[in-house]
Amino acid sequence: MLTIRTHTKTLARIEADDLPTVSQAREAWSAVRTEVGLSPNHTPNLLGLGLNAKASKNPVPTFTLSLAPHRSSGVMNSCTNSTRECIKACVATAGNGSFPSVVAGRLARSKFLAGHPAAFLSLIRHELDLGSQRFPEVAVRLNTFSDLPWEKAAPWIFEGRSTVQFYDYTKNWARLDLPDNYHLTYSVTHLTTPEQMMDRLDAGYNVAVVADRSRGQRKGDAGKSWRGYTVIDGDCTDMRSEDKRGVIVHLAPKGSAGPLPRGGFVKPF
């Protein structure tokens, strides 16, 4: 099974000028869909628009890439920094995320990326170009359920896209050297210490915490704080690049995270 590190090295060796044509890439994508039992005659885009409920709340059209989380694809570990706790609480189980057709789609995209990386990148570039032509401003989340360091895997994706705001959450807190149009929010796990959180917040970065709402707290309530740091509601919009700096992004538990014991991945915030 591919790890993020080995797959990142493979992707990084692929130059933008060496990509197959869009037609060739679509043929490969159709073949992979056939392998996993999906219709080869319907080859949807890799980037979804309006398919993610939370991203649909964003102020600009937002494209999302949904891969199979952690090791669930059987071909790659898309979340090397995942823990047992966060795997149990994976947001991929929320809403329609557990539907067989949705799971199959994520599996197909992961197998396509692992088996045909150049073709995968060819379609991603093409779809980004089309999105920029269609809308004056767009947002893109490449890691809806994964945690790939795209700034290392394919840095040229971000180049020349001044009207595109890329953003993601990550559990890899070593990801700091980013393109100007790529924003990361650092996710807390049950292993993260308060000191690590405060160091990152003091440096002007944001951290996301999955926690219950306080009694009487309504969605969108502002003014809550933790050890003097501002806590914002991260469920009103997914556009994390618009958040103030040095704040805690409060996310309510979703899907399989709901019944988990408090004090581990889900904090008694």
Side-chain angles (χ1 to χ4, degrees):
M1 182 181 295
L2 291 170
T3 64
I4 287 180
R5 179 174 295 180
T6 56
H7 200 54
T8 297
K9 289 182 179 178
T10 298
L11 290 169
R13 288 193 290 267
I14 301 173
E15 299 292 340
D17 294 337
D18 298 331
L19 299 180
T21 65
V22 172
S23 178
Q24 292 169 331
R26 282 179 173 158
E27 288 183 12
W29 176 213
S30 178
V32 171
R33 288 179 57 82
T34 301
E35 291 175 14
V36 300
L38 296 174
S39 172
N41 298 319
H42 175 57
T43 52
N45 290 342
L46 297 176
L47 297 176
L49 177 63
L51 299 181
N52 183 276
K54 189 175 170 187
S56 65
K57 302 176 185 177
N58 290 351
V60 298
T62 301
F63 294 87
T64 55
L65 174 62
S66 297
L67 301 174
H70 45 90
R71 297 179 177 85
S72 62
S73 68
V75 295
M76 64 183 296
N77 182 357
S78 63
C79 311
T80 302
N81 288 76
S82 61
T83 66
R84 289 183 181 180
E85 286 264 347
C86 74
I87 290 174
K88 292 179 182 178
C90 185
V91 72
T93 62
N96 298 333
S98 60
F99 286 6
S101 60
V102 176
V103 174
R106 293 197 295 254
L107 174 62
R109 284 185 287 273
S110 295
K111 288 194 170 185
F112 184 40
L113 173 58
H116 306 270
F120 186 97
L121 291 176
S122 176
L123 289 188
I124 289 291
R125 180 179 66 176
H126 175 66
E127 292 172 23
L128 288 173
D129 289 343
L130 291 180
S132 295
Q133 294 169 13
R134 182 179 175 187
F135 303 105
E137 292 183 64
V138 298
V140 177
R141 184 175 171 184
L142 294 173
N143 285 318
T144 308
F145 307 113
S146 54
D147 200 355
L148 301 176
W150 290 103
E151 70 279 7
K152 294 181 179 179
W156 48 265
I157 282 180
F158 305 94
E159 296 173 358
R161 300 191 185 279
S162 59
T163 62
V164 180
Q165 176 62 63
F166 296 85
Y167 73 96
D168 276 317
Y169 296 85
T170 183
K171 289 183 174 65
N172 182 357
W173 286 33
R175 296 176 64 190
L176 293 170
D177 188 12
L178 303 171
D180 290 340
N181 56 344
Y182 193 18
H183 179 276
L184 290 181
T185 299
Y186 299 91
S187 297
V188 169
T189 73
H190 68 291
L191 301 175
T192 310
T193 66
E195 290 73 24
Q196 289 172 323
M197 289 177 60
M198 291 187 288
D199 286 345
R200 193 52 54 100
L201 291 165
D202 288 340
Y205 299 101
N206 296 347
V207 299
V209 178
V210 177
D212 288 321
R213 299 188 188 281
S214 301
R215 181 175 297 180
Q217 181 188 8
R218 296 172 301 176
K219 189 173 181 179
D221 281 353
K224 187 177 177 63
S225 65
W226 174 82
R227 298 195 181 189
Y229 297 95
T230 299
V231 178
I232 66 170
D233 188 340
D235 288 322
C236 292
T237 175
D238 197 49
M239 196 73 174
R240 299 277 71 85
S241 58
E242 298 297 309
D243 294 337
K244 295 180 180 179
R245 300 299 181 256
V247 301
I248 296 173
V249 180
H250 178 198
L251 302 171
K254 303 171 183 67
S256 59
L260 288 181
R262 274 32 181 176
F265 181 80
V266 181
K267 308 298 182 184
F269 212 42

